[in-house]
């Protein structure tokens, strides 16, 4: 199957990480679909990608964080694109520093879990059936290293939510050992930023996007976790590996 025959749904594609992935996939000739609750973010994404690839980008306003919303937008997506061959899940937020746990409320914790875990689960439940039975299809999770350690005081709920997402990915690898689509995880254990907001050690979201696009394109591994801790890892862990 050529790249032009594949339709990649990038969940979280209007965010910092996701937009880099979308741009890279489009430049490799894929058709790409992005869903967001915020139409303005979708408009910004359209203006961000290269004009000569924009016709291959489908955007839809919808909510993949609720079961009803995910099913509705899935139906609309399939009417537009006809199929989904690959999914890249980059949901959630990159930072939360609301304070130590004793200063937070159950509502705060619920919001973090809804954003980092519930949306990942609900969207997987909706879109995984579209790709799971085809050896040429893929489902790639992008997760964060915050789930493995407390980044700094006040970020505890970020750790709890990110750790839940990591555990969910582990559960899927072990619950579905025989699934034939290529199911992988890229765990980003450093910051990711746009070129104008780079800091030492951070990943440029465009470089990360190219690495994720290469993984999706090659589809030669499954049930694998790729950990990226620094910019050099994009080459040694993802690009130079026999994917």
């Amino acid at each position: 199957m050529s790249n032009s025959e594949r339709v990649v749904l990038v969940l979280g594609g209007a965010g910092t990480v996701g937009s880099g992935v979308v741009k890279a996939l489009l430049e490799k000739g894929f058709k790409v679909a992005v869903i967001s609750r915020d139409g303005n973010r979708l408009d910004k994404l359209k203006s961000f990608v290269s004009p000569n690839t924009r016709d291959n980008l489908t955007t839809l306003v919808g909510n993949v964080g609720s079961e009803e919303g995910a099913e509705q937008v899935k139906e609309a997506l399939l009417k537009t694109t006809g199929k989904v061959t690959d999914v890249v899940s980059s949901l959630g937020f990159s930072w939360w520093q609301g304070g130590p746990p004793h200063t937070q409320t159950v509502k705060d914790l619920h919001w973090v879990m809804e954003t980092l875990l519930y949306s990942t689960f609900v969207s997987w439940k909706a879109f995984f059936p579209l790709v799971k039975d085809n050896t040429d299809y893929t489902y790639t999770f992008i997760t964060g290293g915050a789930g493995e350690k407390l980044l700094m005081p006040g970020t505890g709920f970020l750790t709890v939510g990110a750790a839940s997402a990591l555990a969910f990915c582990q559960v899927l690898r072990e619950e579905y050992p025989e699934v034939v689509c290529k199911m992988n995880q890229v765990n980003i254990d450093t910051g990711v930023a746009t070129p104008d907001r780079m800091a030492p050690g951070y990943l440029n979201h465009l470089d990360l996007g190219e690495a994720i696009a290469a993984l999706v394109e090659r589809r030669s591994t499954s049930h694998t976790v790729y950990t990226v801790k620094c910019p050099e890892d994009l080459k040694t862990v993802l690009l130079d590996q026999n994917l």
Side-chain angles (χ1 to χ4, degrees), residues 17 88-91 93 116 140-149 151 158-159 161-170 173 183-192 203 208 211-212 215 224-231 233-234 237-238:
V17 173
V88 176
S89 178
S90 177
L91 293 167
F93 51 85
L116 287 173
T140 306
F141 293 94
I142 301 176
T143 56
E148 299 176 323
K149 59 184 176 296
L151 298 180
L158 172 59
T159 299
S164 298
L166 292 178
F168 180 64
C169 290
Q170 179 182 354
R173 288 194 304 274
M183 187 167 62
N184 293 297
Q185 175 186 349
V186 179
N187 194 39
I188 310 300
D189 193 11
T190 187
V192 180
L203 305 179
L208 176 58
I212 299 295
L215 176 63
T224 301
V225 180
Y226 298 95
T227 299
V228 177
K229 295 179 178 291
C230 62
D233 284 349
L234 292 178
V237 175
L238 285 170

Side-chain angles (χ1 to χ4, degrees), residues 1-7 28-31:
M1 186 187 301
S2 67
N3 290 355
S4 62
E5 296 176 286
R6 297 168 67 180
V7 179
K28 282 182 172 290
F30 290 92
K31 295 180 175 65

Side-chain angles (χ1 to χ4, degrees), residues 8-13 18 21 25 86-91 138-142 212-213 216:
V8 187
L9 170 60
V10 182
L11 299 165
V21 175
L25 287 167
D86 306 84
V87 180
V88 176
S89 178
S90 177
L91 293 167
T138 69
Y139 203 116
T140 306
F141 293 94
I142 301 176
I212 299 295
V216 173

Side-chain angles (χ1 to χ4, degrees), residues 11-26:
L11 299 165
T16 299
V17 173
S19 61
V21 175
V22 168
K23 184 177 179 67
L25 287 167
L26 287 170

Side-chain angles (χ1 to χ4, degrees), residues 117-212:
L117 176 62
Y118 301 162
S119 61
T120 299
F121 163 66
V122 168
S123 57
W124 169 83
K125 188 177 178 181
F127 297 107
F128 181 62
L130 301 181
V131 303
K132 68 182 182 67
D133 296 322
N134 194 311
T135 57
D136 287 329
Y137 292 3
T138 69
Y139 203 116
T140 306
F141 293 94
I142 301 176
T143 56
E148 299 176 323
K149 59 184 176 296
L150 184 70
L151 298 180
M152 62 179 61
T155 63
F157 277 9
L158 172 59
T159 299
V160 172
S164 298
L166 292 178
F168 180 64
C169 290
Q170 179 182 354
V171 167
L172 295 184
R173 288 194 304 274
E174 297 184 12
E175 286 271 15
Y176 301 89
E178 306 298 332
V179 69
V180 298
C181 78
K182 306 301 188 294
M183 187 167 62
N184 293 297
Q185 175 186 349
V186 179
N187 194 39
I188 310 300
D189 193 11
T190 187
V192 180
T194 54
D196 59 316
R197 294 180 175 271
M198 292 294 291
Y202 273 40
L203 305 179
N204 185 320
H205 78 140
L206 298 175
D207 296 335
L208 176 58
E210 290 181 7
I212 299 295

